[in-house]
Amino acid sequence: GPLDSVGFVDLTDRLKAGMETDARVAGISPDDALKRATERAPLGRLAEPAEIANAVLFLASDKASYVSGAVIAMDGALNPIVV
């Protein structure tokens, strides 16, 4: 399909499905939906699967033994949180 090879990010099945849904709702192509999502991202790109996996690995490791609860935004600063 059109989202099979983007170059700068490997799309997971979940991301492909999300872009296809966004495209259908907006009446645009999946490629255009991906372009819009990327342009909205303050970091100028979408997360790579390894970036999400690294956070999960940390939380599952002994290095996070004192973490008892947290909200970790994995959205590339799309929703800034001020504490």
Side-chain angles (χ1 to χ4, degrees):
L3 295 175
D4 287 339
S5 177
V6 176
F8 64 94
V9 66
D10 293 322
L11 299 181
T12 62
D13 290 342
R14 182 172 174 86
L15 182 55
K16 285 180 189 177
M19 291 300 108
E20 289 166 356
T21 298
D22 288 352
R24 206 169 27 258
V25 168
I28 59 177
S29 73
D31 286 325
D32 286 340
L34 179 61
K35 183 178 176 186
R36 282 185 182 183
T38 303
E39 289 171 349
R40 281 194 312 263
L43 295 182
R45 63 182 183 80
L46 301 180
E48 300 215 13
E51 293 172 308
I52 305 301
N54 287 337
V56 172
L57 287 172
F58 167 72
L59 291 171
S61 75
D62 290 340
K63 293 178 181 179
S65 64
Y66 203 69
V67 176
S68 60
V71 174
I72 300 176
M74 299 290 295
D75 63 4
L78 186 62
N79 296 296
I81 298 171
V82 178
V83 181

